[in-house]
């Protein structure tokens, strides 16, 4: 997890997509940086419009306690071995 220092990003455009603050660099490749909860997400593509579409569909990050996260990880691990 991290936090973004928006004023330290290189030249680009600050904006908002789906209620999230974003930084976009046009050109090829285009780049987009957004904060999703306590995660910093960086996307790169030849098509800038695809980047904003991806951000619109990113789920919010839900973080529980360390025990809840450990429990969830164990459940996913167990499911991987019991799935057919």
């Amino acid at each position: 997890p991290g936090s973004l220092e928006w004023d330290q990003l290189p030249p680009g455009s600050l904006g908002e997509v789906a209620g999230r603050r974003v930084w976009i660099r046009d050109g090829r490749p285009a780049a987009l940086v957004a904060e999703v909860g306590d995660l910093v997400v960086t996307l790169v593509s030849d098509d800038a419009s695809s980047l904003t579409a991806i951000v619109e569909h990113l789920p919010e990050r839900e973080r529980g306690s360390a025990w809840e996260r450990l429990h969830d990880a164990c459940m996913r691990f167990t499911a991987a071995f019991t799935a057919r």
Side-chain angles (χ1 to χ4, degrees), residues 19-69:
R20 294 181 172 121
R21 189 174 182 189
V22 298
W23 169 88
I24 300 172
R25 184 194 70 205
D26 291 325
R28 284 194 178 251
L32 183 145
V33 176
E35 282 185 312
V36 179
D38 60 354
L39 291 179
V40 175
V41 177
T42 303
L43 304 169
V44 179
S45 175
D46 286 335
D47 178 20
S49 64
S50 68
L51 298 177
T52 56
I54 291 169
V55 171
E56 290 173 356
H57 292 91
L58 287 174
E60 283 298 322
R61 181 168 162 97
E62 296 180 24
R63 293 186 53 92
S65 70
W67 289 114
E68 289 170 332
R69 294 192 312 270

